[in-house]
Amino acid sequence: MSRSALGSNWDDVRKEIFTSEEIAESDLRVAIIGELIKARQDKGISQKRLEELSGVKQPVIARMEKGYTSPQLDTLLKVLAPLGKTLAIVPLNNE
């Protein structure tokens, strides 16, 4: 039975459209990019300055921050390092 999206909230709609794995992947991507943006802004660093510090071109940084692209792991690590950040593998909350 199909439900109309009209009157539904986004969480309900996305659960109908996407698998739980796709939702988890999207949420993780948003969280990582959000932390990258926050770290850059907290340090008062422009995208152009981050290019100089990381070697990753400013347009690539802009596309990452806008969510237009999924960065390769090595690119993400290059951008995070000058911000004093890195990635860590930790247990999921549900385990």
Side-chain angles (χ1 to χ4, degrees):
M1 179 165 98
S2 177
R3 293 188 333 191
S4 169
L6 189 60
S8 297
N9 67 37
W10 171 241
D11 284 336
D12 292 339
V13 172
R14 78 181 193 152
K15 286 176 186 171
E16 290 180 19
I17 298 173
F18 302 107
T19 66
S20 59
E21 291 82 10
E22 290 170 326
I23 292 170
E25 182 181 329
S26 175
D27 289 349
L28 180 58
R29 185 178 299 114
V30 168
I32 289 170
I33 297 304
E35 287 298 317
L36 181 143
I37 294 167
K38 182 180 181 312
R40 183 178 63 75
Q41 291 174 342
D42 286 351
K43 289 211 174 255
I45 297 174
S46 68
Q47 290 179 350
K48 188 65 178 169
R49 179 67 179 139
L50 188 53
E51 172 186 5
E52 295 165 2
L53 296 170
S54 69
V56 176
K57 298 290 184 188
Q58 183 275 328
V60 173
I61 295 168
R63 285 193 301 272
M64 283 178 12
E65 289 189 1
K66 291 179 181 175
Y68 294 163
T69 186
S70 292
Q72 294 290 319
L73 182 58
D74 61 336
T75 302
L76 190 55
L77 291 171
K78 285 178 187 177
V79 171
L80 288 173
L83 300 174
K85 303 287 184 179
T86 191
L87 293 178
I89 297 175
V90 298
L92 294 173
N93 292 337
N94 59 1
E95 292 183 13

